[in-house]
């Protein structure tokens, strides 16, 4: 088998077999296939696409190119949740303890943030003492004991994906749905879950800018999951504006606490209930999405969900008193109100650029080596579709720097006030097959 023949085959729009894809992934991972040949294949895939069978074969080969986490010692159906990224996305912080509080095991491996998107691990580290680097044994023990634990990604998961992504990044082949789908799903499969709930975001703050592409990506990943014998569902959600009101690590912990008390922003609560209902159904703890949602709402109202978050924080070495005393979280030195320059209706809050503004304050990273300031960020007071008067505060800036002129300028450039504006549809589609 020769790589040049396989490049030619895909260039001409033919289907690669599972055996040929195995040869490609193993050869590239073992440095037997050079970057220039893999680059040529990636470009051929970019233009010629792949069938579901091809994408599934690629996904499985990448998933098994390194460590595969064994979660078989955890009792029950393990459901993982993955989001394709967003701004102010506090969802996992609320979702994990909420779903666990009704008996669904949540063994969550999460990442750090980069650029305008936030990372769940960074947010949890804003809690004094919270340990995200725990052993696999401790991780599984905690999930069996308390139904929930969240840890950083450990081991050498899907090394083929790491190499392919780095190559895609410099060969203009990142924006390929087969390659995106296989990248996401290979890591999820290697993480050891029995079922996967996917949140595929669309809009300014998302990787998929339009609904058509988001829908194709979601449906592709659901089919991959099922072909790989994983129960899989997906939601296509709006990320044209930030989700919720808080953007920044300590601020989002406070928002998560309020949400688990039942006082969270309406869009965040709806997102949590929609995704949580899918997780409960996938775990076979309810027969329908409606019945699952009733259980989740009851867990919030009874206080079980908040108690589970407190338990999770304690189990992982964090100061659980932050639940009742959020002032224990880091607080910024300065606050600034960004005031509306005119009256009208908020017509746009461009999610990605607002995320960049939070990053400039120190809430996120420009590079992987940057240090995060847990105290800083933004708190939105107005969302799209809401009326505003001139001089009224659009948002509060929390900063540890006295001069935020650059941040204010960026925010004003990306918040539009017009005569009218409509609240965006939050959930565009739910995909179960």
């Amino acid at each position: 088998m020769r790589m040049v023949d396989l490049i030619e085959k895909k260039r001409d729009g033919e289907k690669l077999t599972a055996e040929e894809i195995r040869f490609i992934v193993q050869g590239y991972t073992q440095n037997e296939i050079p970057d220039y040949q893999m680059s040529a294949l990636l470009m051929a895939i970019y233009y010629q696409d792949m069938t579901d069978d091809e994408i599934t074969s690629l996904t499985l080969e990448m998933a098994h190119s390194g460590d595969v986490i064994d979660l078989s010692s955890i009792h029950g159906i393990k459901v993982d949740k993955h989001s394709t990224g967003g701004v102010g996305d506090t969802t996992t912080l609320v979702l994990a303890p909420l779903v666990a509080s009704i008996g669904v095991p949540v063994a969550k491996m999460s990442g750090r943030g980069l650029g305008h998107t936030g990372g769940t691990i960074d947010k949890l580290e804003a809690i004094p003492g919270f340990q995200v680097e725990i052993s696999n044994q401790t991780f599984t023990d905690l999930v069996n004991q308390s139904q929930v634990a969240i840890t950083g990604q450990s081991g050498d998961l899907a090394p083929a994906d790491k190499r392919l992504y780095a190559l895609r990044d410099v060969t203009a082949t990142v924006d390929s749905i087969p390659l995106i789908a296989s990248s996401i799903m290979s890591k999820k499969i290697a993480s050891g879950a029995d079922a996967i709930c996917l949140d595929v975001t669309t809009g300014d703050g998302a990787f998929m800018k339009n609904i058509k592409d988001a829908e194709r990506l979601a449906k592709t990943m659901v089919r991959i999951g099922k072909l790989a014998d994983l129960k899989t569902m997906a939601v296509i959600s709006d990320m044209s504006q930030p989700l919720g009101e808080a953007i920044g690590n300590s601020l989002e912990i406070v928002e998560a606490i309020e949400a688990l008390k039942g006082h969270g922003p309406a869009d965040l609560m709806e997102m949590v209930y929609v995704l949580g209902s899918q997780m409960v159904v996938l775990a076979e703890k309810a027969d329908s999405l409606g019945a699952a949602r009733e259980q989740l709402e009851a867990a919030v109202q009874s206080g079980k969900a908040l108690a589970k978050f407190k338990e999770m924080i304690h189990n992982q070495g964090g100061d659980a008193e932050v639940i009742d005393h959020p002032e224990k979280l880091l607080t910024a030195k300065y606050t600034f109100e960004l005031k509306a320059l005119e009256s009208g209706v908020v017509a746009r809050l461009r999610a990605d650029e607002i995320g960049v503004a939070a990053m400039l304050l120190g809430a996120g990273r420009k590079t992987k080596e940057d240090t995060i300031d847990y105290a800083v960020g933004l708190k939105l007071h107005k969302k799209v579709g809401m009326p505003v008067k001139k001089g009224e505060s659009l948002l509060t800036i929390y900063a540890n720097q006295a001069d935020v002129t650059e941040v204010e300028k960026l925010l004003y450039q990306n918040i539009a006030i017009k005569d009218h504006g409509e609240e965006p549809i939050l959930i565009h589609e739910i995909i179960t097959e």
Side-chain angles (χ1 to χ4, degrees), residues 126-342:
I127 300 171
F130 195 97
Q131 297 298 311
V132 294
E133 305 300 334
I134 55 179
S135 70
N136 287 344
Q137 187 61 55
T138 300
F139 181 59
T140 55
D141 287 347
L142 286 178
V143 179
N144 277 327
Q145 170 192 319
S146 298
Q147 283 71 54
V148 63
I150 301 178
T151 183
Q153 292 178 349
S154 60
D156 191 20
L157 293 184
D161 174 62
K162 291 187 183 74
R163 290 201 61 195
L164 282 174
Y165 190 88
L167 196 58
R168 286 164 56 205
D169 197 34
V170 295
T171 57
T173 53
V174 169
D175 192 14
S176 163
I177 286 176
L179 298 176
I180 296 167
S182 57
S183 174
I184 292 170
M185 294 299 287
S186 65
K187 292 190 285 287
K188 292 293 103 181
I189 291 169
S191 296
D194 300 316
I196 302 171
C197 173
L198 298 160
D199 174 20
V200 180
T201 53
T202 183
D204 289 332
F207 195 72
M208 297 285 105
K209 301 300 182 187
N210 64 72
I211 294 174
K212 183 179 177 183
D213 287 344
E215 183 180 68
R216 191 191 163 205
L217 177 60
K219 289 183 175 179
T220 299
M221 290 195 292
V222 169
R223 286 195 294 266
I224 291 171
K226 295 193 173 183
L227 286 168
D229 294 325
L230 291 174
K231 295 192 293 183
T232 313
M233 290 184 180
V235 168
I236 299 175
S237 67
D238 178 76
M239 193 52 72
S240 59
Q241 66 174 339
L243 184 67
E245 297 170 354
I247 307 164
N249 300 281
S250 290
L251 294 171
E252 290 186 51
I253 294 292
V254 174
E255 184 172 71
I257 293 168
E258 288 303 305
L260 288 164
K261 290 178 179 177
H263 308 314
D267 58 348
L268 174 61
M269 296 303 295
E270 181 63 18
M271 195 72 237
V272 165
Y273 285 135
V274 168
L275 292 170
S277 297
Q278 290 201 0
M279 294 176 73
V280 173
V281 168
L282 288 168
E284 299 180 3
K285 294 290 185 179
D287 295 329
S288 68
L289 294 173
R293 181 169 181 140
E294 287 179 7
Q295 291 185 54
L296 295 171
E297 290 176 345
V300 170
Q301 291 163 7
S302 68
K304 280 175 59 179
L306 184 65
K308 183 60 69 175
F309 190 32
K310 192 171 188 176
E311 181 183 355
M312 184 186 88
I313 293 170
H314 173 76
N315 286 347
Q316 295 191 227
D319 185 353
E321 289 191 15
V322 298
I323 297 292
D324 303 306
H325 300 283
E327 65 274 10
K328 287 192 163 215
L329 296 166
L330 287 177
T331 305
K333 287 182 186 177
Y334 308 102
T335 59
F336 305 88
E337 301 302 322
L338 189 80
K339 296 184 178 179
L341 302 179
E342 57 190 318

Side-chain angles (χ1 to χ4, degrees), residues 71-98:
L71 300 181
S72 59
S73 62
I74 296 175
H75 312 307
I77 297 172
K78 282 76 70 181
V79 184
D80 200 356
K81 169 259 178 188
H82 177 81
S83 171
T84 55
V87 179
D89 191 352
T90 315
T91 314
T92 297
L93 298 176
V94 184
L95 197 58
L98 171 57

